[in-house]
Amino acid sequence: MIDLKVFADLATTPLGDFAAKPTTLTEGQQEASNVLWTSDDGGTMIGVWECTPGHFTADRTKAGEYCHILSGRASVTNVDGSGTRDIGAGDLLVLPQGWQGEWVIHEHMRKLFVISATPQ
């Protein structure tokens, strides 16, 4: 039998400890997360993530990411410098598999993320 899951009040879901953001371009930037669910095949992961203000690179060549912004503000830009999008609470950001670029977190951000890999 397949078990249904419900995750309530994502704004206050506990996270792990904050640690240095590995791809940061801003000294001292930190992130924390809590993976809530992973598919049996490992191809899809859902969780909550927070990040302090700063600038970092992102690479979605192996899996797409879908982000529902719960709080905070950021700008996201394609790797070639085009297509900057400003995002904030209530927005849904789609980063298709293959996307690369940069984030600038303007206000401490919290998001629900879904990372999903499509076999290539």
Side-chain angles (χ1 to χ4, degrees), residues 38-39 41-46 58-67 93-101 103 111 113-120:
T38 303
S39 63
D41 66 2
T44 302
M45 180 174 34
I46 299 171
D59 184 338
R60 289 284 158 237
T61 54
K62 295 183 181 184
E65 181 176 9
Y66 315 95
C67 310
L93 172 66
V94 176
L95 302 173
Q97 187 169 341
W99 181 86
Q100 294 178 318
W103 287 66
K111 70 179 182 181
F113 66 85
V114 177
I115 296 176
S116 183
T118 303
Q120 294 188 6

PDB file of all heavy atoms in Angstrom, residues 38-39 41-46 58-67 93-101 103 111 113-120:
ATOM      1  N   THR A  38      11.569  11.705   0.009  1.00  0.00           N
ATOM      2  CA  THR A  38      12.353  11.288  -1.153  1.00  0.00           C
ATOM      3  C   THR A  38      11.651  10.103  -1.786  1.00  0.00           C
ATOM      4  O   THR A  38      11.211   9.185  -1.078  1.00  0.00           O
ATOM      5  CB  THR A  38      13.789  10.888  -0.737  1.00  0.00           C
ATOM      6  OG1 THR A  38      14.396  11.996  -0.064  1.00  0.00           O
ATOM      7  CG2 THR A  38      14.629  10.516  -1.943  1.00  0.00           C
ATOM      8  N   SER A  39      11.548  10.110  -3.116  1.00  0.00           N
ATOM      9  CA  SER A  39      10.915   8.992  -3.815  1.00  0.00           C
ATOM     10  C   SER A  39      11.754   7.728  -3.655  1.00  0.00           C
ATOM     11  O   SER A  39      12.957   7.792  -3.386  1.00  0.00           O
ATOM     12  CB  SER A  39      10.734   9.315  -5.301  1.00  0.00           C
ATOM     13  OG  SER A  39      11.989   9.496  -5.925  1.00  0.00           O
ATOM     14  N   ASP A  41      12.898   5.744  -5.781  1.00  0.00           N
ATOM     15  CA  ASP A  41      14.006   5.639  -6.741  1.00  0.00           C
ATOM     16  C   ASP A  41      15.041   6.745  -6.563  1.00  0.00           C
ATOM     17  O   ASP A  41      16.042   6.780  -7.271  1.00  0.00           O
ATOM     18  CB  ASP A  41      13.485   5.636  -8.180  1.00  0.00           C
ATOM     19  CG  ASP A  41      12.839   6.955  -8.589  1.00  0.00           C
ATOM     20  OD1 ASP A  41      12.803   7.920  -7.788  1.00  0.00           O
ATOM     21  OD2 ASP A  41      12.352   7.017  -9.736  1.00  0.00           O
ATOM     22  N   GLY A  42      14.809   7.666  -5.627  1.00  0.00           N
ATOM     23  CA  GLY A  42      15.745   8.748  -5.359  1.00  0.00           C
ATOM     24  C   GLY A  42      15.709   9.868  -6.386  1.00  0.00           C
ATOM     25  O   GLY A  42      16.475  10.829  -6.284  1.00  0.00           O
ATOM     26  N   GLY A  43      14.818   9.796  -7.360  1.00  0.00           N
ATOM     27  CA  GLY A  43      14.764  10.795  -8.417  1.00  0.00           C
ATOM     28  C   GLY A  43      14.060  12.086  -8.056  1.00  0.00           C
ATOM     29  O   GLY A  43      14.242  13.096  -8.725  1.00  0.00           O
ATOM     30  N   THR A  44      13.257  12.063  -6.988  1.00  0.00           N
ATOM     31  CA  THR A  44      12.526  13.256  -6.559  1.00  0.00           C
ATOM     32  C   THR A  44      12.722  13.457  -5.058  1.00  0.00           C
ATOM     33  O   THR A  44      12.663  12.505  -4.289  1.00  0.00           O
ATOM     34  CB  THR A  44      11.018  13.124  -6.867  1.00  0.00           C
ATOM     35  OG1 THR A  44      10.861  12.903  -8.268  1.00  0.00           O
ATOM     36  CG2 THR A  44      10.257  14.376  -6.466  1.00  0.00           C
ATOM     37  N   MET A  45      12.964  14.711  -4.697  1.00  0.00           N
ATOM     38  CA  MET A  45      13.183  15.063  -3.299  1.00  0.00           C
ATOM     39  C   MET A  45      12.407  16.345  -3.015  1.00  0.00           C
ATOM     40  O   MET A  45      12.414  17.277  -3.818  1.00  0.00           O
ATOM     41  CB  MET A  45      14.676  15.278  -3.063  1.00  0.00           C
ATOM     42  CG  MET A  45      15.056  15.648  -1.672  1.00  0.00           C
ATOM     43  SD  MET A  45      16.873  15.740  -1.397  1.00  0.00           S
ATOM     44  CE  MET A  45      17.518  16.326  -2.927  1.00  0.00           C
ATOM     45  N   ILE A  46      11.717  16.373  -1.858  1.00  0.00           N
ATOM     46  CA  ILE A  46      10.949  17.546  -1.443  1.00  0.00           C
ATOM     47  C   ILE A  46      11.438  17.967  -0.063  1.00  0.00           C
ATOM     48  O   ILE A  46      11.641  17.115   0.817  1.00  0.00           O
ATOM     49  CB  ILE A  46       9.438  17.226  -1.386  1.00  0.00           C
ATOM     50  CG1 ILE A  46       8.943  16.802  -2.765  1.00  0.00           C
ATOM     51  CG2 ILE A  46       8.649  18.421  -0.853  1.00  0.00           C
ATOM     52  CD1 ILE A  46       7.523  16.271  -2.763  1.00  0.00           C
ATOM     53  N   ALA A  58      24.300  28.388  -8.979  1.00  0.00           N
ATOM     54  CA  ALA A  58      23.435  27.209  -8.909  1.00  0.00           C
ATOM     55  C   ALA A  58      23.522  26.456 -10.229  1.00  0.00           C
ATOM     56  O   ALA A  58      23.591  27.064 -11.295  1.00  0.00           O
ATOM     57  CB  ALA A  58      21.998  27.629  -8.617  1.00  0.00           C
ATOM     58  N   ASP A  59      23.497  25.129 -10.125  1.00  0.00           N
ATOM     59  CA  ASP A  59      23.630  24.262 -11.297  1.00  0.00           C
ATOM     60  C   ASP A  59      22.533  23.208 -11.249  1.00  0.00           C
ATOM     61  O   ASP A  59      22.532  22.343 -10.380  1.00  0.00           O
ATOM     62  CB  ASP A  59      25.013  23.612 -11.271  1.00  0.00           C
ATOM     63  CG  ASP A  59      25.291  22.763 -12.492  1.00  0.00           C
ATOM     64  OD1 ASP A  59      24.339  22.312 -13.162  1.00  0.00           O
ATOM     65  OD2 ASP A  59      26.470  22.526 -12.775  1.00  0.00           O
ATOM     66  N   ARG A  60      21.614  23.279 -12.175  1.00  0.00           N
ATOM     67  CA  ARG A  60      20.504  22.324 -12.247  1.00  0.00           C
ATOM     68  C   ARG A  60      20.628  21.462 -13.505  1.00  0.00           C
ATOM     69  O   ARG A  60      19.643  21.110 -14.126  1.00  0.00           O
ATOM     70  CB  ARG A  60      19.161  23.075 -12.233  1.00  0.00           C
ATOM     71  CG  ARG A  60      18.868  23.676 -10.878  1.00  0.00           C
ATOM     72  CD  ARG A  60      18.426  22.571  -9.921  1.00  0.00           C
ATOM     73  NE  ARG A  60      18.619  22.935  -8.546  1.00  0.00           N
ATOM     74  CZ  ARG A  60      19.343  22.236  -7.681  1.00  0.00           C
ATOM     75  NH1 ARG A  60      19.960  21.142  -8.050  1.00  0.00           N
ATOM     76  NH2 ARG A  60      19.444  22.603  -6.441  1.00  0.00           N
ATOM     77  N   THR A  61      21.865  21.119 -13.888  1.00  0.00           N
ATOM     78  CA  THR A  61      22.065  20.300 -15.086  1.00  0.00           C
ATOM     79  C   THR A  61      21.619  18.858 -14.876  1.00  0.00           C
ATOM     80  O   THR A  61      21.244  18.195 -15.833  1.00  0.00           O
ATOM     81  CB  THR A  61      23.527  20.321 -15.556  1.00  0.00           C
ATOM     82  OG1 THR A  61      24.378  19.951 -14.480  1.00  0.00           O
ATOM     83  CG2 THR A  61      23.917  21.704 -16.059  1.00  0.00           C
ATOM     84  N   LYS A  62      21.613  18.375 -13.646  1.00  0.00           N
ATOM     85  CA  LYS A  62      21.250  16.980 -13.386  1.00  0.00           C
ATOM     86  C   LYS A  62      19.813  16.799 -12.919  1.00  0.00           C
ATOM     87  O   LYS A  62      19.292  15.686 -12.957  1.00  0.00           O
ATOM     88  CB  LYS A  62      22.211  16.374 -12.367  1.00  0.00           C
ATOM     89  CG  LYS A  62      23.622  16.295 -12.893  1.00  0.00           C
ATOM     90  CD  LYS A  62      24.561  15.643 -11.937  1.00  0.00           C
ATOM     91  CE  LYS A  62      25.939  15.642 -12.566  1.00  0.00           C
ATOM     92  NZ  LYS A  62      26.922  14.971 -11.800  1.00  0.00           N
ATOM     93  N   ALA A  63      19.175  17.881 -12.448  1.00  0.00           N
ATOM     94  CA  ALA A  63      17.799  17.783 -11.949  1.00  0.00           C
ATOM     95  C   ALA A  63      17.168  19.163 -11.955  1.00  0.00           C
ATOM     96  O   ALA A  63      17.818  20.151 -11.616  1.00  0.00           O
ATOM     97  CB  ALA A  63      17.778  17.212 -10.535  1.00  0.00           C
ATOM     98  N   GLY A  64      15.895  19.236 -12.339  1.00  0.00           N
ATOM     99  CA  GLY A  64      15.156  20.490 -12.270  1.00  0.00           C
ATOM    100  C   GLY A  64      14.752  20.788 -10.839  1.00  0.00           C
ATOM    101  O   GLY A  64      14.719  19.895  -9.983  1.00  0.00           O
ATOM    102  N   GLU A  65      14.462  22.052 -10.574  1.00  0.00           N
ATOM    103  CA  GLU A  65      14.021  22.441  -9.234  1.00  0.00           C
ATOM    104  C   GLU A  65      12.823  23.371  -9.352  1.00  0.00           C
ATOM    105  O   GLU A  65      12.793  24.260 -10.195  1.00  0.00           O
ATOM    106  CB  GLU A  65      15.135  23.139  -8.460  1.00  0.00           C
ATOM    107  CG  GLU A  65      14.705  23.526  -7.055  1.00  0.00           C
ATOM    108  CD  GLU A  65      15.808  24.133  -6.211  1.00  0.00           C
ATOM    109  OE1 GLU A  65      16.890  24.422  -6.746  1.00  0.00           O
ATOM    110  OE2 GLU A  65      15.567  24.325  -5.012  1.00  0.00           O
ATOM    111  N   TYR A  66      11.851  23.149  -8.491  1.00  0.00           N
ATOM    112  CA  TYR A  66      10.640  23.943  -8.423  1.00  0.00           C
ATOM    113  C   TYR A  66      10.574  24.495  -7.010  1.00  0.00           C
ATOM    114  O   TYR A  66      10.605  23.726  -6.046  1.00  0.00           O
ATOM    115  CB  TYR A  66       9.425  23.077  -8.774  1.00  0.00           C
ATOM    116  CG  TYR A  66       9.750  22.248 -10.005  1.00  0.00           C
ATOM    117  CD1 TYR A  66      10.228  20.946  -9.876  1.00  0.00           C
ATOM    118  CD2 TYR A  66       9.684  22.808 -11.270  1.00  0.00           C
ATOM    119  CE1 TYR A  66      10.606  20.213 -11.001  1.00  0.00           C
ATOM    120  CE2 TYR A  66      10.052  22.075 -12.390  1.00  0.00           C
ATOM    121  CZ  TYR A  66      10.507  20.784 -12.253  1.00  0.00           C
ATOM    122  OH  TYR A  66      10.889  20.070 -13.361  1.00  0.00           O
ATOM    123  N   CYS A  67      10.529  25.829  -6.887  1.00  0.00           N
ATOM    124  CA  CYS A  67      10.653  26.489  -5.586  1.00  0.00           C
ATOM    125  C   CYS A  67       9.414  27.328  -5.300  1.00  0.00           C
ATOM    126  O   CYS A  67       9.108  28.261  -6.056  1.00  0.00           O
ATOM    127  CB  CYS A  67      11.860  27.425  -5.581  1.00  0.00           C
ATOM    128  SG  CYS A  67      13.398  26.715  -6.165  1.00  0.00           S
ATOM    129  N   LEU A  93       9.019  29.512  -8.522  1.00  0.00           N
ATOM    130  CA  LEU A  93      10.135  29.611  -9.453  1.00  0.00           C
ATOM    131  C   LEU A  93      10.390  28.232 -10.045  1.00  0.00           C
ATOM    132  O   LEU A  93      10.522  27.253  -9.310  1.00  0.00           O
ATOM    133  CB  LEU A  93      11.388  30.101  -8.716  1.00  0.00           C
ATOM    134  CG  LEU A  93      12.692  30.087  -9.518  1.00  0.00           C
ATOM    135  CD1 LEU A  93      12.633  31.094 -10.669  1.00  0.00           C
ATOM    136  CD2 LEU A  93      13.872  30.378  -8.591  1.00  0.00           C
ATOM    137  N   VAL A  94      10.468  28.156 -11.375  1.00  0.00           N
ATOM    138  CA  VAL A  94      10.758  26.906 -12.065  1.00  0.00           C
ATOM    139  C   VAL A  94      12.148  27.017 -12.679  1.00  0.00           C
ATOM    140  O   VAL A  94      12.402  27.898 -13.505  1.00  0.00           O
ATOM    141  CB  VAL A  94       9.711  26.615 -13.166  1.00  0.00           C
ATOM    142  CG1 VAL A  94      10.075  25.353 -13.933  1.00  0.00           C
ATOM    143  CG2 VAL A  94       8.319  26.504 -12.550  1.00  0.00           C
ATOM    144  N   LEU A  95      13.049  26.124 -12.260  1.00  0.00           N
ATOM    145  CA  LEU A  95      14.397  26.021 -12.817  1.00  0.00           C
ATOM    146  C   LEU A  95      14.468  24.674 -13.535  1.00  0.00           C
ATOM    147  O   LEU A  95      14.717  23.645 -12.901  1.00  0.00           O
ATOM    148  CB  LEU A  95      15.452  26.102 -11.705  1.00  0.00           C
ATOM    149  CG  LEU A  95      15.414  27.367 -10.850  1.00  0.00           C
ATOM    150  CD1 LEU A  95      16.385  27.249  -9.679  1.00  0.00           C
ATOM    151  CD2 LEU A  95      15.716  28.602 -11.694  1.00  0.00           C
ATOM    152  N   PRO A  96      14.213  24.648 -14.841  1.00  0.00           N
ATOM    153  CA  PRO A  96      14.173  23.374 -15.558  1.00  0.00           C
ATOM    154  C   PRO A  96      15.515  22.652 -15.515  1.00  0.00           C
ATOM    155  O   PRO A  96      16.567  23.284 -15.389  1.00  0.00           O
ATOM    156  CB  PRO A  96      13.837  23.784 -16.994  1.00  0.00           C
ATOM    157  CG  PRO A  96      13.308  25.171 -16.911  1.00  0.00           C
ATOM    158  CD  PRO A  96      13.948  25.785 -15.708  1.00  0.00           C
ATOM    159  N   GLN A  97      15.448  21.332 -15.644  1.00  0.00           N
ATOM    160  CA  GLN A  97      16.683  20.559 -15.708  1.00  0.00           C
ATOM    161  C   GLN A  97      17.525  21.114 -16.852  1.00  0.00           C
ATOM    162  O   GLN A  97      17.028  21.343 -17.950  1.00  0.00           O
ATOM    163  CB  GLN A  97      16.376  19.078 -15.924  1.00  0.00           C
ATOM    164  CG  GLN A  97      17.600  18.210 -15.837  1.00  0.00           C
ATOM    165  CD  GLN A  97      17.250  16.726 -15.781  1.00  0.00           C
ATOM    166  OE1 GLN A  97      16.138  16.340 -15.463  1.00  0.00           O
ATOM    167  NE2 GLN A  97      18.228  15.904 -16.087  1.00  0.00           N
ATOM    168  N   GLY A  98      18.786  21.380 -16.577  1.00  0.00           N
ATOM    169  CA  GLY A  98      19.705  21.971 -17.544  1.00  0.00           C
ATOM    170  C   GLY A  98      20.030  23.423 -17.231  1.00  0.00           C
ATOM    171  O   GLY A  98      20.999  23.977 -17.737  1.00  0.00           O
ATOM    172  N   TRP A  99      19.221  24.074 -16.364  1.00  0.00           N
ATOM    173  CA  TRP A  99      19.431  25.489 -16.039  1.00  0.00           C
ATOM    174  C   TRP A  99      20.687  25.670 -15.193  1.00  0.00           C
ATOM    175  O   TRP A  99      20.994  24.866 -14.308  1.00  0.00           O
ATOM    176  CB  TRP A  99      18.227  26.036 -15.270  1.00  0.00           C
ATOM    177  CG  TRP A  99      18.365  27.490 -14.919  1.00  0.00           C
ATOM    178  CD1 TRP A  99      18.035  28.548 -15.698  1.00  0.00           C
ATOM    179  CD2 TRP A  99      18.884  28.030 -13.700  1.00  0.00           C
ATOM    180  NE1 TRP A  99      18.309  29.722 -15.039  1.00  0.00           N
ATOM    181  CE2 TRP A  99      18.843  29.426 -13.819  1.00  0.00           C
ATOM    182  CE3 TRP A  99      19.398  27.468 -12.534  1.00  0.00           C
ATOM    183  CZ2 TRP A  99      19.275  30.280 -12.806  1.00  0.00           C
ATOM    184  CZ3 TRP A  99      19.830  28.312 -11.527  1.00  0.00           C
ATOM    185  CH2 TRP A  99      19.765  29.701 -11.669  1.00  0.00           C
ATOM    186  N   GLN A 100      21.400  26.764 -15.448  1.00  0.00           N
ATOM    187  CA  GLN A 100      22.526  27.200 -14.623  1.00  0.00           C
ATOM    188  C   GLN A 100      22.424  28.703 -14.445  1.00  0.00           C
ATOM    189  O   GLN A 100      21.974  29.407 -15.355  1.00  0.00           O
ATOM    190  CB  GLN A 100      23.864  26.872 -15.287  1.00  0.00           C
ATOM    191  CG  GLN A 100      24.142  25.396 -15.405  1.00  0.00           C
ATOM    192  CD  GLN A 100      25.469  25.148 -16.112  1.00  0.00           C
ATOM    193  OE1 GLN A 100      25.783  25.805 -17.094  1.00  0.00           O
ATOM    194  NE2 GLN A 100      26.226  24.215 -15.596  1.00  0.00           N
ATOM    195  N   GLY A 101      22.841  29.192 -13.294  1.00  0.00           N
ATOM    196  CA  GLY A 101      22.796  30.625 -13.072  1.00  0.00           C
ATOM    197  C   GLY A 101      23.236  31.019 -11.686  1.00  0.00           C
ATOM    198  O   GLY A 101      23.990  30.291 -11.027  1.00  0.00           O
ATOM    199  N   TRP A 103      21.959  33.161  -7.922  1.00  0.00           N
ATOM    200  CA  TRP A 103      20.959  33.716  -7.018  1.00  0.00           C
ATOM    201  C   TRP A 103      21.614  34.851  -6.236  1.00  0.00           C
ATOM    202  O   TRP A 103      22.768  34.737  -5.823  1.00  0.00           O
ATOM    203  CB  TRP A 103      20.527  32.680  -6.000  1.00  0.00           C
ATOM    204  CG  TRP A 103      19.651  31.572  -6.449  1.00  0.00           C
ATOM    205  CD1 TRP A 103      19.962  30.574  -7.320  1.00  0.00           C
ATOM    206  CD2 TRP A 103      18.325  31.310  -5.990  1.00  0.00           C
ATOM    207  NE1 TRP A 103      18.914  29.705  -7.438  1.00  0.00           N
ATOM    208  CE2 TRP A 103      17.896  30.136  -6.621  1.00  0.00           C
ATOM    209  CE3 TRP A 103      17.475  31.952  -5.100  1.00  0.00           C
ATOM    210  CZ2 TRP A 103      16.637  29.589  -6.403  1.00  0.00           C
ATOM    211  CZ3 TRP A 103      16.225  31.404  -4.887  1.00  0.00           C
ATOM    212  CH2 TRP A 103      15.806  30.240  -5.532  1.00  0.00           C
ATOM    213  N   LYS A 111      12.135  28.543   1.481  1.00  0.00           N
ATOM    214  CA  LYS A 111      11.360  28.019   0.356  1.00  0.00           C
ATOM    215  C   LYS A 111      11.068  26.545   0.538  1.00  0.00           C
ATOM    216  O   LYS A 111      11.804  25.823   1.235  1.00  0.00           O
ATOM    217  CB  LYS A 111      12.106  28.217  -0.969  1.00  0.00           C
ATOM    218  CG  LYS A 111      13.337  27.330  -1.109  1.00  0.00           C
ATOM    219  CD  LYS A 111      14.047  27.532  -2.432  1.00  0.00           C
ATOM    220  CE  LYS A 111      15.237  26.582  -2.548  1.00  0.00           C
ATOM    221  NZ  LYS A 111      15.978  26.753  -3.796  1.00  0.00           N
ATOM    222  N   PHE A 113      11.106  23.280  -1.695  1.00  0.00           N
ATOM    223  CA  PHE A 113      11.699  22.874  -2.965  1.00  0.00           C
ATOM    224  C   PHE A 113      11.279  21.458  -3.341  1.00  0.00           C
ATOM    225  O   PHE A 113      11.052  20.608  -2.494  1.00  0.00           O
ATOM    226  CB  PHE A 113      13.232  22.986  -2.941  1.00  0.00           C
ATOM    227  CG  PHE A 113      13.909  22.036  -1.988  1.00  0.00           C
ATOM    228  CD1 PHE A 113      14.207  20.731  -2.372  1.00  0.00           C
ATOM    229  CD2 PHE A 113      14.253  22.438  -0.710  1.00  0.00           C
ATOM    230  CE1 PHE A 113      14.837  19.848  -1.502  1.00  0.00           C
ATOM    231  CE2 PHE A 113      14.886  21.566   0.168  1.00  0.00           C
ATOM    232  CZ  PHE A 113      15.176  20.270  -0.224  1.00  0.00           C
ATOM    233  N   VAL A 114      11.186  21.271  -4.647  1.00  0.00           N
ATOM    234  CA  VAL A 114      10.998  19.953  -5.243  1.00  0.00           C
ATOM    235  C   VAL A 114      12.099  19.815  -6.266  1.00  0.00           C
ATOM    236  O   VAL A 114      12.187  20.625  -7.198  1.00  0.00           O
ATOM    237  CB  VAL A 114       9.619  19.793  -5.916  1.00  0.00           C
ATOM    238  CG1 VAL A 114       9.499  18.432  -6.575  1.00  0.00           C
ATOM    239  CG2 VAL A 114       8.496  20.040  -4.928  1.00  0.00           C
ATOM    240  N   ILE A 115      12.973  18.839  -6.089  1.00  0.00           N
ATOM    241  CA  ILE A 115      14.044  18.568  -7.050  1.00  0.00           C
ATOM    242  C   ILE A 115      13.708  17.244  -7.718  1.00  0.00           C
ATOM    243  O   ILE A 115      13.459  16.242  -7.037  1.00  0.00           O
ATOM    244  CB  ILE A 115      15.420  18.515  -6.360  1.00  0.00           C
ATOM    245  CG1 ILE A 115      15.744  19.889  -5.766  1.00  0.00           C
ATOM    246  CG2 ILE A 115      16.499  18.061  -7.351  1.00  0.00           C
ATOM    247  CD1 ILE A 115      17.022  19.942  -4.982  1.00  0.00           C
ATOM    248  N   SER A 116      13.669  17.281  -9.057  1.00  0.00           N
ATOM    249  CA  SER A 116      13.256  16.108  -9.803  1.00  0.00           C
ATOM    250  C   SER A 116      14.162  15.901 -10.999  1.00  0.00           C
ATOM    251  O   SER A 116      14.314  16.792 -11.835  1.00  0.00           O
ATOM    252  CB  SER A 116      11.804  16.289 -10.261  1.00  0.00           C
ATOM    253  OG  SER A 116      11.357  15.128 -10.923  1.00  0.00           O
ATOM    254  N   ALA A 117      14.760  14.714 -11.071  1.00  0.00           N
ATOM    255  CA  ALA A 117      15.657  14.369 -12.174  1.00  0.00           C
ATOM    256  C   ALA A 117      14.920  13.553 -13.210  1.00  0.00           C
ATOM    257  O   ALA A 117      14.204  12.613 -12.882  1.00  0.00           O
ATOM    258  CB  ALA A 117      16.857  13.587 -11.645  1.00  0.00           C
ATOM    259  N   THR A 118      15.093  13.950 -14.457  1.00  0.00           N
ATOM    260  CA  THR A 118      14.544  13.188 -15.570  1.00  0.00           C
ATOM    261  C   THR A 118      15.699  12.433 -16.219  1.00  0.00           C
ATOM    262  O   THR A 118      16.718  13.075 -16.555  1.00  0.00           O
ATOM    263  CB  THR A 118      13.895  14.124 -16.605  1.00  0.00           C
ATOM    264  OG1 THR A 118      12.903  14.906 -15.952  1.00  0.00           O
ATOM    265  CG2 THR A 118      13.290  13.357 -17.739  1.00  0.00           C
ATOM    266  N   PRO A 119      15.611  11.134 -16.389  1.00  0.00           N
ATOM    267  CA  PRO A 119      16.709  10.405 -17.029  1.00  0.00           C
ATOM    268  C   PRO A 119      17.015  10.991 -18.401  1.00  0.00           C
ATOM    269  O   PRO A 119      16.106  11.355 -19.149  1.00  0.00           O
ATOM    270  CB  PRO A 119      16.168   8.972 -17.159  1.00  0.00           C
ATOM    271  CG  PRO A 119      15.052   8.892 -16.179  1.00  0.00           C
ATOM    272  CD  PRO A 119      14.492  10.274 -16.051  1.00  0.00           C
ATOM    273  N   GLN A 120      18.313  11.118 -18.706  1.00  0.00           N
ATOM    274  CA  GLN A 120      18.709  11.683 -19.997  1.00  0.00           C
ATOM    275  C   GLN A 120      19.480  10.682 -20.813  1.00  0.00           C
ATOM    276  O   GLN A 120      20.101   9.823 -20.370  1.00  0.00           O
ATOM    277  CB  GLN A 120      19.549  12.926 -19.787  1.00  0.00           C
ATOM    278  CG  GLN A 120      18.725  14.017 -19.168  1.00  0.00           C
ATOM    279  CD  GLN A 120      19.474  15.342 -19.130  1.00  0.00           C
ATOM    280  OE1 GLN A 120      20.555  15.493 -19.653  1.00  0.00           O
ATOM    281  NE2 GLN A 120      18.878  16.318 -18.497  1.00  0.00           N
TER     282      GLN A 120
END
